[in-house]
PDB file of all heavy atoms in Angstrom:
ATOM      1  N   GLU D  64     -87.545  56.021  35.353  1.00 95.00           N
ATOM      2  CA  GLU D  64     -86.204  56.024  34.765  1.00 95.00           C
ATOM      3  C   GLU D  64     -85.476  57.306  35.170  1.00 95.00           C
ATOM      4  O   GLU D  64     -86.047  58.394  35.112  1.00 95.00           O
ATOM      5  CB  GLU D  64     -86.328  55.952  33.240  1.00 95.00           C
ATOM      6  CG  GLU D  64     -85.019  56.007  32.501  1.00 95.00           C
ATOM      7  CD  GLU D  64     -85.250  56.056  30.988  1.00 95.00           C
ATOM      8  OE1 GLU D  64     -86.137  55.324  30.502  1.00 95.00           O
ATOM      9  OE2 GLU D  64     -84.558  56.843  30.337  1.00 95.00           O
ATOM     10  N   LYS D  65     -84.222  57.186  35.581  1.00 95.00           N
ATOM     11  CA  LYS D  65     -83.416  58.344  35.960  1.00 95.00           C
ATOM     12  C   LYS D  65     -82.542  58.790  34.793  1.00 95.00           C
ATOM     13  O   LYS D  65     -81.997  57.964  34.054  1.00 95.00           O
ATOM     14  CB  LYS D  65     -82.510  58.021  37.156  1.00 95.00           C
ATOM     15  CG  LYS D  65     -83.265  57.676  38.417  1.00 95.00           C
ATOM     16  CD  LYS D  65     -83.819  58.910  39.064  1.00 95.00           C
ATOM     17  CE  LYS D  65     -84.465  58.547  40.397  1.00 95.00           C
ATOM     18  NZ  LYS D  65     -84.989  59.683  41.072  1.00 95.00           N
ATOM     19  N   ILE D  66     -82.420  60.096  34.645  1.00 96.00           N
ATOM     20  CA  ILE D  66     -81.561  60.687  33.620  1.00 96.00           C
ATOM     21  C   ILE D  66     -80.378  61.345  34.314  1.00 96.00           C
ATOM     22  O   ILE D  66     -80.556  62.065  35.299  1.00 96.00           O
ATOM     23  CB  ILE D  66     -82.326  61.731  32.798  1.00 96.00           C
ATOM     24  CG1 ILE D  66     -83.444  61.076  32.012  1.00 96.00           C
ATOM     25  CG2 ILE D  66     -81.380  62.485  31.866  1.00 96.00           C
ATOM     26  CD1 ILE D  66     -84.307  62.061  31.256  1.00 96.00           C
ATOM     27  N   GLU D  67     -79.183  61.100  33.812  1.00 96.00           N
ATOM     28  CA  GLU D  67     -77.981  61.725  34.345  1.00 96.00           C
ATOM     29  C   GLU D  67     -77.584  62.899  33.466  1.00 96.00           C
ATOM     30  O   GLU D  67     -77.474  62.757  32.253  1.00 96.00           O
ATOM     31  CB  GLU D  67     -76.821  60.723  34.400  1.00 96.00           C
ATOM     32  CG  GLU D  67     -77.040  59.599  35.365  1.00 96.00           C
ATOM     33  CD  GLU D  67     -75.895  58.598  35.381  1.00 96.00           C
ATOM     34  OE1 GLU D  67     -74.909  58.772  34.629  1.00 96.00           O
ATOM     35  OE2 GLU D  67     -75.989  57.620  36.138  1.00 96.00           O
ATOM     36  N   SER D  68     -77.379  64.056  34.090  1.00 96.00           N
ATOM     37  CA  SER D  68     -76.916  65.252  33.384  1.00 96.00           C
ATOM     38  C   SER D  68     -75.516  65.588  33.896  1.00 96.00           C
ATOM     39  O   SER D  68     -75.348  65.945  35.066  1.00 96.00           O
ATOM     40  CB  SER D  68     -77.853  66.427  33.646  1.00 96.00           C
ATOM     41  OG  SER D  68     -79.148  66.133  33.189  1.00 96.00           O
ATOM     42  N   PRO D  69     -74.514  65.479  33.038  1.00 97.00           N
ATOM     43  CA  PRO D  69     -73.140  65.727  33.460  1.00 97.00           C
ATOM     44  C   PRO D  69     -72.916  67.163  33.932  1.00 97.00           C
ATOM     45  O   PRO D  69     -73.479  68.106  33.376  1.00 97.00           O
ATOM     46  CB  PRO D  69     -72.321  65.455  32.199  1.00 97.00           C
ATOM     47  CG  PRO D  69     -73.213  64.680  31.308  1.00 97.00           C
ATOM     48  CD  PRO D  69     -74.602  65.092  31.635  1.00 97.00           C
ATOM     49  N   ILE D  70     -72.077  67.313  34.950  1.00 97.00           N
ATOM     50  CA  ILE D  70     -71.742  68.626  35.501  1.00 97.00           C
ATOM     51  C   ILE D  70     -70.258  68.926  35.313  1.00 97.00           C
ATOM     52  O   ILE D  70     -69.895  69.989  34.828  1.00 97.00           O
ATOM     53  CB  ILE D  70     -72.118  68.690  36.993  1.00 97.00           C
ATOM     54  CG1 ILE D  70     -73.633  68.606  37.138  1.00 97.00           C
ATOM     55  CG2 ILE D  70     -71.566  69.956  37.647  1.00 97.00           C
ATOM     56  CD1 ILE D  70     -74.114  68.453  38.549  1.00 97.00           C
ATOM     57  N   ALA D  71     -69.405  67.999  35.724  1.00 98.00           N
ATOM     58  CA  ALA D  71     -67.963  68.225  35.667  1.00 98.00           C
ATOM     59  C   ALA D  71     -67.246  66.899  35.450  1.00 98.00           C
ATOM     60  O   ALA D  71     -67.762  65.838  35.795  1.00 98.00           O
ATOM     61  CB  ALA D  71     -67.482  68.869  36.961  1.00 98.00           C
ATOM     62  N   ARG D  72     -66.047  67.011  34.893  1.00 98.00           N
ATOM     63  CA  ARG D  72     -65.264  65.808  34.596  1.00 98.00           C
ATOM     64  C   ARG D  72     -63.789  66.116  34.820  1.00 98.00           C
ATOM     65  O   ARG D  72     -63.337  67.227  34.524  1.00 98.00           O
ATOM     66  CB  ARG D  72     -65.484  65.416  33.141  1.00 98.00           C
ATOM     67  CG  ARG D  72     -64.772  64.184  32.698  1.00 98.00           C
ATOM     68  CD  ARG D  72     -65.181  63.856  31.268  1.00 98.00           C
ATOM     69  NE  ARG D  72     -64.655  62.568  30.890  1.00 98.00           N
ATOM     70  CZ  ARG D  72     -63.878  62.365  29.838  1.00 98.00           C
ATOM     71  NH1 ARG D  72     -63.542  63.364  29.058  1.00 98.00           N
ATOM     72  NH2 ARG D  72     -63.441  61.160  29.575  1.00 98.00           N
ATOM     73  N   ALA D  73     -63.070  65.144  35.332  1.00 98.00           N
ATOM     74  CA  ALA D  73     -61.618  65.267  35.460  1.00 98.00           C
ATOM     75  C   ALA D  73     -60.984  63.960  35.001  1.00 98.00           C
ATOM     76  O   ALA D  73     -61.503  62.879  35.277  1.00 98.00           O
ATOM     77  CB  ALA D  73     -61.218  65.551  36.900  1.00 98.00           C
ATOM     78  N   LYS D  74     -59.886  64.096  34.277  1.00 97.00           N
ATOM     79  CA  LYS D  74     -59.171  62.917  33.780  1.00 97.00           C
ATOM     80  C   LYS D  74     -57.719  63.006  34.239  1.00 97.00           C
ATOM     81  O   LYS D  74     -57.043  64.009  34.024  1.00 97.00           O
ATOM     82  CB  LYS D  74     -59.229  62.856  32.262  1.00 97.00           C
ATOM     83  CG  LYS D  74     -58.544  61.635  31.713  1.00 97.00           C
ATOM     84  CD  LYS D  74     -58.689  61.516  30.220  1.00 97.00           C
ATOM     85  CE  LYS D  74     -58.008  60.235  29.779  1.00 97.00           C
ATOM     86  NZ  LYS D  74     -58.042  60.077  28.351  1.00 97.00           N
ATOM     87  N   TYR D  75     -57.273  61.927  34.896  1.00 96.00           N
ATOM     88  CA  TYR D  75     -55.908  61.888  35.402  1.00 96.00           C
ATOM     89  C   TYR D  75     -54.951  61.544  34.280  1.00 96.00           C
ATOM     90  O   TYR D  75     -55.152  60.584  33.539  1.00 96.00           O
ATOM     91  CB  TYR D  75     -55.789  60.863  36.534  1.00 96.00           C
ATOM     92  CG  TYR D  75     -54.439  60.854  37.185  1.00 96.00           C
ATOM     93  CD1 TYR D  75     -54.010  61.950  37.925  1.00 96.00           C
ATOM     94  CD2 TYR D  75     -53.599  59.763  37.053  1.00 96.00           C
ATOM     95  CE1 TYR D  75     -52.770  61.954  38.529  1.00 96.00           C
ATOM     96  CE2 TYR D  75     -52.353  59.753  37.661  1.00 96.00           C
ATOM     97  CZ  TYR D  75     -51.940  60.855  38.392  1.00 96.00           C
ATOM     98  OH  TYR D  75     -50.703  60.850  38.989  1.00 96.00           O
ATOM     99  N   VAL D  76     -53.893  62.351  34.149  1.00 96.00           N
ATOM    100  CA  VAL D  76     -52.839  62.103  33.163  1.00 96.00           C
ATOM    101  C   VAL D  76     -51.633  61.595  33.935  1.00 96.00           C
ATOM    102  O   VAL D  76     -50.901  62.371  34.562  1.00 96.00           O
ATOM    103  CB  VAL D  76     -52.496  63.382  32.371  1.00 96.00           C
ATOM    104  CG1 VAL D  76     -51.406  63.099  31.342  1.00 96.00           C
ATOM    105  CG2 VAL D  76     -53.740  63.952  31.700  1.00 96.00           C
ATOM    106  N   LYS D  77     -51.475  60.302  33.923  1.00 94.00           N
ATOM    107  CA  LYS D  77     -50.459  59.640  34.745  1.00 94.00           C
ATOM    108  C   LYS D  77     -49.047  60.120  34.422  1.00 94.00           C
ATOM    109  O   LYS D  77     -48.239  60.340  35.324  1.00 94.00           O
ATOM    110  CB  LYS D  77     -50.571  58.127  34.529  1.00 94.00           C
ATOM    111  CG  LYS D  77     -49.861  57.292  35.533  1.00 94.00           C
ATOM    112  CD  LYS D  77     -50.147  55.823  35.252  1.00 94.00           C
ATOM    113  CE  LYS D  77     -49.853  54.979  36.456  1.00 94.00           C
ATOM    114  NZ  LYS D  77     -50.202  53.581  36.234  1.00 94.00           N
ATOM    115  N   SER D  78     -48.736  60.307  33.144  1.00 96.00           N
ATOM    116  CA  SER D  78     -47.375  60.684  32.738  1.00 96.00           C
ATOM    117  C   SER D  78     -46.963  62.052  33.277  1.00 96.00           C
ATOM    118  O   SER D  78     -45.778  62.331  33.423  1.00 96.00           O
ATOM    119  CB  SER D  78     -47.247  60.668  31.209  1.00 96.00           C
ATOM    120  OG  SER D  78     -48.117  61.639  30.641  1.00 96.00           O
ATOM    121  N   ARG D  79     -47.944  62.904  33.587  1.00 96.00           N
ATOM    122  CA  ARG D  79     -47.649  64.257  34.073  1.00 96.00           C
ATOM    123  C   ARG D  79     -48.145  64.479  35.500  1.00 96.00           C
ATOM    124  O   ARG D  79     -47.965  65.547  36.061  1.00 96.00           O
ATOM    125  CB  ARG D  79     -48.270  65.281  33.131  1.00 96.00           C
ATOM    126  CG  ARG D  79     -47.644  65.188  31.740  1.00 96.00           C
ATOM    127  CD  ARG D  79     -48.157  66.192  30.731  1.00 96.00           C
ATOM    128  NE  ARG D  79     -48.354  67.503  31.272  1.00 96.00           N
ATOM    129  CZ  ARG D  79     -49.509  68.170  31.188  1.00 96.00           C
ATOM    130  NH1 ARG D  79     -50.545  67.641  30.582  1.00 96.00           N
ATOM    131  NH2 ARG D  79     -49.630  69.370  31.697  1.00 96.00           N
ATOM    132  N   SER D  80     -48.823  63.494  36.069  1.00 95.00           N
ATOM    133  CA  SER D  80     -49.367  63.584  37.437  1.00 95.00           C
ATOM    134  C   SER D  80     -50.256  64.803  37.633  1.00 95.00           C
ATOM    135  O   SER D  80     -50.123  65.539  38.611  1.00 95.00           O
ATOM    136  CB  SER D  80     -48.234  63.585  38.471  1.00 95.00           C
ATOM    137  OG  SER D  80     -47.524  62.387  38.415  1.00 95.00           O
ATOM    138  N   VAL D  81     -51.173  65.013  36.682  1.00 97.00           N
ATOM    139  CA  VAL D  81     -52.136  66.114  36.775  1.00 97.00           C
ATOM    140  C   VAL D  81     -53.524  65.598  36.413  1.00 97.00           C
ATOM    141  O   VAL D  81     -53.666  64.564  35.761  1.00 97.00           O
ATOM    142  CB  VAL D  81     -51.783  67.307  35.840  1.00 97.00           C
ATOM    143  CG1 VAL D  81     -50.466  67.947  36.228  1.00 97.00           C
ATOM    144  CG2 VAL D  81     -51.786  66.895  34.378  1.00 97.00           C
ATOM    145  N   TRP D  82     -54.523  66.322  36.855  1.00 97.00           N
ATOM    146  CA  TRP D  82     -55.910  66.064  36.481  1.00 97.00           C
ATOM    147  C   TRP D  82     -56.334  67.148  35.500  1.00 97.00           C
ATOM    148  O   TRP D  82     -56.219  68.334  35.803  1.00 97.00           O
ATOM    149  CB  TRP D  82     -56.810  66.113  37.709  1.00 97.00           C
ATOM    150  CG  TRP D  82     -56.632  64.972  38.653  1.00 97.00           C
ATOM    151  CD1 TRP D  82     -55.715  64.880  39.644  1.00 97.00           C
ATOM    152  CD2 TRP D  82     -57.409  63.782  38.698  1.00 97.00           C
ATOM    153  NE1 TRP D  82     -55.867  63.689  40.310  1.00 97.00           N
ATOM    154  CE2 TRP D  82     -56.909  62.996  39.750  1.00 97.00           C
ATOM    155  CE3 TRP D  82     -58.490  63.292  37.953  1.00 97.00           C
ATOM    156  CZ2 TRP D  82     -57.432  61.760  40.083  1.00 97.00           C
ATOM    157  CZ3 TRP D  82     -59.015  62.060  38.281  1.00 97.00           C
ATOM    158  CH2 TRP D  82     -58.490  61.307  39.329  1.00 97.00           C
ATOM    159  N   LYS D  83     -56.813  66.769  34.325  1.00 98.00           N
ATOM    160  CA  LYS D  83     -57.374  67.724  33.363  1.00 98.00           C
ATOM    161  C   LYS D  83     -58.832  67.955  33.728  1.00 98.00           C
ATOM    162  O   LYS D  83     -59.565  67.009  33.995  1.00 98.00           O
ATOM    163  CB  LYS D  83     -57.254  67.205  31.934  1.00 98.00           C
ATOM    164  CG  LYS D  83     -55.834  67.182  31.444  1.00 98.00           C
ATOM    165  CD  LYS D  83     -55.799  66.882  29.973  1.00 98.00           C
ATOM    166  CE  LYS D  83     -54.403  67.149  29.455  1.00 98.00           C
ATOM    167  NZ  LYS D  83     -54.407  67.308  28.011  1.00 98.00           N
ATOM    168  N   VAL D  84     -59.252  69.210  33.710  1.00 98.00           N
ATOM    169  CA  VAL D  84     -60.588  69.602  34.156  1.00 98.00           C
ATOM    170  C   VAL D  84     -61.446  69.961  32.943  1.00 98.00           C
ATOM    171  O   VAL D  84     -61.006  70.710  32.062  1.00 98.00           O
ATOM    172  CB  VAL D  84     -60.510  70.813  35.116  1.00 98.00           C
ATOM    173  CG1 VAL D  84     -61.892  71.229  35.588  1.00 98.00           C
ATOM    174  CG2 VAL D  84     -59.594  70.496  36.295  1.00 98.00           C
ATOM    175  N   TYR D  85     -62.689  69.456  32.939  1.00 98.00           N
ATOM    176  CA  TYR D  85     -63.622  69.704  31.845  1.00 98.00           C
ATOM    177  C   TYR D  85     -64.988  70.114  32.379  1.00 98.00           C
ATOM    178  O   TYR D  85     -65.368  69.745  33.480  1.00 98.00           O
ATOM    179  CB  TYR D  85     -63.806  68.434  30.998  1.00 98.00           C
ATOM    180  CG  TYR D  85     -62.539  67.936  30.368  1.00 98.00           C
ATOM    181  CD1 TYR D  85     -61.743  66.994  31.018  1.00 98.00           C
ATOM    182  CD2 TYR D  85     -62.127  68.397  29.129  1.00 98.00           C
ATOM    183  CE1 TYR D  85     -60.575  66.524  30.450  1.00 98.00           C
ATOM    184  CE2 TYR D  85     -60.955  67.933  28.542  1.00 98.00           C
ATOM    185  CZ  TYR D  85     -60.192  67.003  29.210  1.00 98.00           C
ATOM    186  OH  TYR D  85     -59.025  66.549  28.640  1.00 98.00           O
ATOM    187  N   TRP D  86     -65.712  70.846  31.569  1.00 98.00           N
ATOM    188  CA  TRP D  86     -67.102  71.185  31.871  1.00 98.00           C
ATOM    189  C   TRP D  86     -67.924  70.947  30.613  1.00 98.00           C
ATOM    190  O   TRP D  86     -67.403  70.939  29.500  1.00 98.00           O
ATOM    191  CB  TRP D  86     -67.230  72.615  32.376  1.00 98.00           C
ATOM    192  CG  TRP D  86     -66.905  73.692  31.373  1.00 98.00           C
ATOM    193  CD1 TRP D  86     -65.686  73.977  30.828  1.00 98.00           C
ATOM    194  CD2 TRP D  86     -67.822  74.634  30.816  1.00 98.00           C
ATOM    195  NE1 TRP D  86     -65.789  75.034  29.966  1.00 98.00           N
ATOM    196  CE2 TRP D  86     -67.093  75.459  29.938  1.00 98.00           C
ATOM    197  CE3 TRP D  86     -69.182  74.866  30.977  1.00 98.00           C
ATOM    198  CZ2 TRP D  86     -67.676  76.500  29.226  1.00 98.00           C
ATOM    199  CZ3 TRP D  86     -69.755  75.894  30.266  1.00 98.00           C
ATOM    200  CH2 TRP D  86     -69.012  76.698  29.408  1.00 98.00           C
ATOM    201  N   MET D  87     -69.209  70.710  30.790  1.00 95.00           N
ATOM    202  CA  MET D  87     -70.084  70.431  29.654  1.00 95.00           C
ATOM    203  C   MET D  87     -70.794  71.717  29.237  1.00 95.00           C
ATOM    204  O   MET D  87     -71.512  72.318  30.024  1.00 95.00           O
ATOM    205  CB  MET D  87     -71.105  69.349  29.985  1.00 95.00           C
ATOM    206  CG  MET D  87     -72.022  69.124  28.820  1.00 95.00           C
ATOM    207  SD  MET D  87     -72.549  67.471  28.422  1.00 95.00           S
ATOM    208  CE  MET D  87     -71.220  66.396  28.633  1.00 95.00           C
ATOM    209  N   ARG D  88     -70.575  72.077  27.991  1.00 94.00           N
ATOM    210  CA  ARG D  88     -71.224  73.273  27.454  1.00 94.00           C
ATOM    211  C   ARG D  88     -72.599  72.900  26.894  1.00 94.00           C
ATOM    212  O   ARG D  88     -72.977  71.732  26.839  1.00 94.00           O
ATOM    213  CB  ARG D  88     -70.355  73.872  26.356  1.00 94.00           C
ATOM    214  CG  ARG D  88     -69.039  74.393  26.930  1.00 94.00           C
ATOM    215  CD  ARG D  88     -68.258  75.149  25.939  1.00 94.00           C
ATOM    216  NE  ARG D  88     -69.032  76.295  25.471  1.00 94.00           N
ATOM    217  CZ  ARG D  88     -68.500  77.323  24.837  1.00 94.00           C
ATOM    218  NH1 ARG D  88     -67.208  77.352  24.614  1.00 94.00           N
ATOM    219  NH2 ARG D  88     -69.248  78.305  24.419  1.00 94.00           N
ATOM    220  N   ALA D  89     -73.316  73.897  26.446  1.00 92.00           N
ATOM    221  CA  ALA D  89     -74.664  73.697  25.906  1.00 92.00           C
ATOM    222  C   ALA D  89     -74.655  72.796  24.669  1.00 92.00           C
ATOM    223  O   ALA D  89     -75.688  72.217  24.323  1.00 92.00           O
ATOM    224  CB  ALA D  89     -75.294  75.046  25.574  1.00 92.00           C
ATOM    225  N   ASP D  90     -73.503  72.661  23.996  1.00 95.00           N
ATOM    226  CA  ASP D  90     -73.434  71.779  22.819  1.00 95.00           C
ATOM    227  C   ASP D  90     -73.319  70.304  23.217  1.00 95.00           C
ATOM    228  O   ASP D  90     -73.183  69.440  22.373  1.00 95.00           O
ATOM    229  CB  ASP D  90     -72.276  72.181  21.900  1.00 95.00           C
ATOM    230  CG  ASP D  90     -70.901  72.009  22.533  1.00 95.00           C
ATOM    231  OD1 ASP D  90     -70.794  71.492  23.674  1.00 95.00           O
ATOM    232  OD2 ASP D  90     -69.904  72.401  21.889  1.00 95.00           O
ATOM    233  N   LEU D  91     -73.380  70.025  24.542  1.00 94.00           N
ATOM    234  CA  LEU D  91     -73.324  68.677  25.103  1.00 94.00           C
ATOM    235  C   LEU D  91     -71.986  67.968  24.855  1.00 94.00           C
ATOM    236  O   LEU D  91     -71.919  66.744  24.816  1.00 94.00           O
ATOM    237  CB  LEU D  91     -74.490  67.818  24.624  1.00 94.00           C
ATOM    238  CG  LEU D  91     -75.879  68.371  24.960  1.00 94.00           C
ATOM    239  CD1 LEU D  91     -76.963  67.449  24.429  1.00 94.00           C
ATOM    240  CD2 LEU D  91     -76.031  68.593  26.460  1.00 94.00           C
ATOM    241  N   ASN D  92     -70.936  68.754  24.699  1.00 97.00           N
ATOM    242  CA  ASN D  92     -69.581  68.220  24.573  1.00 97.00           C
ATOM    243  C   ASN D  92     -68.739  68.713  25.739  1.00 97.00           C
ATOM    244  O   ASN D  92     -68.971  69.808  26.265  1.00 97.00           O
ATOM    245  CB  ASN D  92     -68.932  68.663  23.257  1.00 97.00           C
ATOM    246  CG  ASN D  92     -69.572  68.005  22.062  1.00 97.00           C
ATOM    247  OD1 ASN D  92     -69.735  66.787  22.031  1.00 97.00           O
ATOM    248  ND2 ASN D  92     -69.954  68.797  21.078  1.00 97.00           N
ATOM    249  N   TRP D  93     -67.767  67.905  26.138  1.00 98.00           N
ATOM    250  CA  TRP D  93     -66.845  68.314  27.191  1.00 98.00           C
ATOM    251  C   TRP D  93     -65.828  69.288  26.623  1.00 98.00           C
ATOM    252  O   TRP D  93     -65.295  69.071  25.542  1.00 98.00           O
ATOM    253  CB  TRP D  93     -66.124  67.104  27.768  1.00 98.00           C
ATOM    254  CG  TRP D  93     -66.996  66.199  28.560  1.00 98.00           C
ATOM    255  CD1 TRP D  93     -67.407  64.950  28.210  1.00 98.00           C
ATOM    256  CD2 TRP D  93     -67.576  66.466  29.840  1.00 98.00           C
ATOM    257  NE1 TRP D  93     -68.208  64.426  29.206  1.00 98.00           N
ATOM    258  CE2 TRP D  93     -68.322  65.337  30.218  1.00 98.00           C
ATOM    259  CE3 TRP D  93     -67.538  67.554  30.715  1.00 98.00           C
ATOM    260  CZ2 TRP D  93     -69.019  65.260  31.420  1.00 98.00           C
ATOM    261  CZ3 TRP D  93     -68.235  67.479  31.912  1.00 98.00           C
ATOM    262  CH2 TRP D  93     -68.958  66.344  32.250  1.00 98.00           C
ATOM    263  N   HIS D  94     -65.587  70.361  27.377  1.00 98.00           N
ATOM    264  CA  HIS D  94     -64.611  71.371  26.982  1.00 98.00           C
ATOM    265  C   HIS D  94     -63.649  71.613  28.140  1.00 98.00           C
ATOM    266  O   HIS D  94     -64.061  71.563  29.302  1.00 98.00           O
ATOM    267  CB  HIS D  94     -65.314  72.688  26.628  1.00 98.00           C
ATOM    268  CG  HIS D  94     -66.180  72.584  25.421  1.00 98.00           C
ATOM    269  ND1 HIS D  94     -65.731  72.870  24.157  1.00 98.00           N
ATOM    270  CD2 HIS D  94     -67.475  72.191  25.279  1.00 98.00           C
ATOM    271  CE1 HIS D  94     -66.716  72.673  23.288  1.00 98.00           C
ATOM    272  NE2 HIS D  94     -67.778  72.255  23.945  1.00 98.00           N
ATOM    273  N   PRO D  95     -62.386  71.906  27.815  1.00 98.00           N
ATOM    274  CA  PRO D  95     -61.449  72.228  28.897  1.00 98.00           C
ATOM    275  C   PRO D  95     -61.955  73.435  29.691  1.00 98.00           C
ATOM    276  O   PRO D  95     -62.512  74.380  29.120  1.00 98.00           O
ATOM    277  CB  PRO D  95     -60.154  72.569  28.167  1.00 98.00           C
ATOM    278  CG  PRO D  95     -60.274  71.903  26.833  1.00 98.00           C
ATOM    279  CD  PRO D  95     -61.741  71.930  26.499  1.00 98.00           C
ATOM    280  N   TYR D  96     -61.774  73.374  30.971  1.00 98.00           N
ATOM    281  CA  TYR D  96     -62.162  74.469  31.856  1.00 98.00           C
ATOM    282  C   TYR D  96     -61.050  75.510  31.786  1.00 98.00           C
ATOM    283  O   TYR D  96     -60.018  75.391  32.453  1.00 98.00           O
ATOM    284  CB  TYR D  96     -62.361  73.925  33.274  1.00 98.00           C
ATOM    285  CG  TYR D  96     -62.806  74.936  34.280  1.00 98.00           C
ATOM    286  CD1 TYR D  96     -64.048  75.552  34.181  1.00 98.00           C
ATOM    287  CD2 TYR D  96     -61.990  75.267  35.353  1.00 98.00           C
ATOM    288  CE1 TYR D  96     -64.465  76.480  35.126  1.00 98.00           C
ATOM    289  CE2 TYR D  96     -62.409  76.187  36.306  1.00 98.00           C
ATOM    290  CZ  TYR D  96     -63.632  76.792  36.188  1.00 98.00           C
ATOM    291  OH  TYR D  96     -64.045  77.702  37.125  1.00 98.00           O
ATOM    292  N   ASP D  97     -61.236  76.520  30.944  1.00 95.00           N
ATOM    293  CA  ASP D  97     -60.170  77.474  30.642  1.00 95.00           C
ATOM    294  C   ASP D  97     -59.627  78.255  31.836  1.00 95.00           C
ATOM    295  O   ASP D  97     -58.433  78.550  31.854  1.00 95.00           O
ATOM    296  CB  ASP D  97     -60.601  78.430  29.531  1.00 95.00           C
ATOM    297  CG  ASP D  97     -60.532  77.762  28.169  1.00 95.00           C
ATOM    298  OD1 ASP D  97     -59.658  76.894  27.980  1.00 95.00           O
ATOM    299  OD2 ASP D  97     -61.350  78.094  27.299  1.00 95.00           O
ATOM    300  N   PRO D  98     -60.417  78.581  32.832  1.00 95.00           N
ATOM    301  CA  PRO D  98     -59.800  79.278  33.965  1.00 95.00           C
ATOM    302  C   PRO D  98     -58.695  78.460  34.639  1.00 95.00           C
ATOM    303  O   PRO D  98     -57.750  79.010  35.177  1.00 95.00           O
ATOM    304  CB  PRO D  98     -60.963  79.515  34.931  1.00 95.00           C
ATOM    305  CG  PRO D  98     -62.170  79.548  34.053  1.00 95.00           C
ATOM    306  CD  PRO D  98     -61.876  78.541  32.964  1.00 95.00           C
ATOM    307  N   GLN D  99     -58.807  77.120  34.586  1.00 96.00           N
ATOM    308  CA  GLN D  99     -57.779  76.251  35.158  1.00 96.00           C
ATOM    309  C   GLN D  99     -57.928  74.870  34.531  1.00 96.00           C
ATOM    310  O   GLN D  99     -58.674  74.035  35.011  1.00 96.00           O
ATOM    311  CB  GLN D  99     -57.900  76.179  36.675  1.00 96.00           C
ATOM    312  CG  GLN D  99     -56.703  75.554  37.318  1.00 96.00           C
ATOM    313  CD  GLN D  99     -56.641  75.798  38.813  1.00 96.00           C
ATOM    314  OE1 GLN D  99     -57.404  76.570  39.357  1.00 96.00           O
ATOM    315  NE2 GLN D  99     -55.715  75.135  39.460  1.00 96.00           N
ATOM    316  N   ARG D 100     -57.197  74.645  33.464  1.00 97.00           N
ATOM    317  CA  ARG D 100     -57.321  73.403  32.697  1.00 97.00           C
ATOM    318  C   ARG D 100     -56.789  72.175  33.425  1.00 97.00           C
ATOM    319  O   ARG D 100     -57.192  71.064  33.126  1.00 97.00           O
ATOM    320  CB  ARG D 100     -56.600  73.529  31.360  1.00 97.00           C
ATOM    321  CG  ARG D 100     -57.293  74.442  30.396  1.00 97.00           C
ATOM    322  CD  ARG D 100     -56.515  74.552  29.105  1.00 97.00           C
ATOM    323  NE  ARG D 100     -57.333  75.251  28.131  1.00 97.00           N
ATOM    324  CZ  ARG D 100     -57.511  74.836  26.897  1.00 97.00           C
ATOM    325  NH1 ARG D 100     -56.932  73.741  26.477  1.00 97.00           N
ATOM    326  NH2 ARG D 100     -58.279  75.518  26.079  1.00 97.00           N
TER     327      ARG D 100
END
């Protein structure tokens, strides 16, 4: 069985034509990437 460990996530916001950037912290939740959200 393979386990997936998340590294990075981006979500496209169509209304603003931008990608929001996230990283997974040790609490296993996605957080905005503060250096460049």
Side-chain angles (χ1 to χ4, degrees):
E64 177 185 319
K65 297 284 185 179
I66 295 176
E67 294 179 0
S68 299
I70 294 171
R72 181 175 188 236
K74 182 176 182 183
Y75 185 67
V76 181
K77 195 176 199 176
S78 63
R79 297 182 41 234
S80 297
V81 296
W82 290 85
K83 290 189 168 199
V84 180
Y85 300 92
W86 66 292
M87 178 141 320
R88 294 188 60 163
D90 65 5
L91 301 180
N92 290 310
W93 291 109
H94 294 268
Y96 182 65
D97 283 328
Q99 193 165 351
R100 289 179 170 227

